[in-house]
Amino acid sequence: MLSLGSYYRADNHEEVFTQISHPIITKILDFVLIAGSFIMGFVMIAGAGSNLEQQFGLPFWVGGLICSLLITLLLVKVMIGLH
């Protein structure tokens, strides 16, 4: 995907998908990519909670909350930088 994005000088993944596949397949690939990222985010948050519980004896939700707050702060920082 990275090499195709470089080849097509694309600004986002959808531009590459439209160049290499049928529009219906493009929508399916886009959905799979978004769903996969969403699922990986949940796994990352659960892993943070579990890790802090095992290492420091904190409740699992504290680690998940800390990870969620860090993700939110990072997203806000990125969105502010897009102006």
Side-chain angles (χ1 to χ4, degrees), residues 2 6 12-13 17 28 34 61-62 64 68 72 74-75 82:
L2 291 175
S6 177
N12 60 46
H13 67 278
F17 289 159
I28 293 170
I34 291 171
W61 62 268
V62 173
S68 297
T72 303
L74 180 65
L75 287 173
L82 292 177

Side-chain angles (χ1 to χ4, degrees), residues 39-60:
I39 291 167
M40 283 188 282
F42 273 110
V43 170
M44 180 175 61
I45 292 168
S50 177
N51 191 15
L52 288 179
E53 181 181 23
Q54 289 177 4
Q55 295 298 320
F56 303 112
L58 297 173
F60 72 90

Side-chain angles (χ1 to χ4, degrees), residues 1 4 12-38 40:
M1 179 56 97
L4 287 174
N12 60 46
H13 67 278
E14 192 170 359
E15 292 178 26
V16 176
F17 289 159
T18 57
Q19 293 288 328
I20 64 171
S21 65
H22 189 272
I24 294 173
I25 302 297
T26 297
K27 293 294 183 191
I28 293 170
L29 289 172
D30 192 36
F31 174 76
V32 168
L33 188 63
I34 291 171
S37 296
F38 191 69
M40 283 188 282

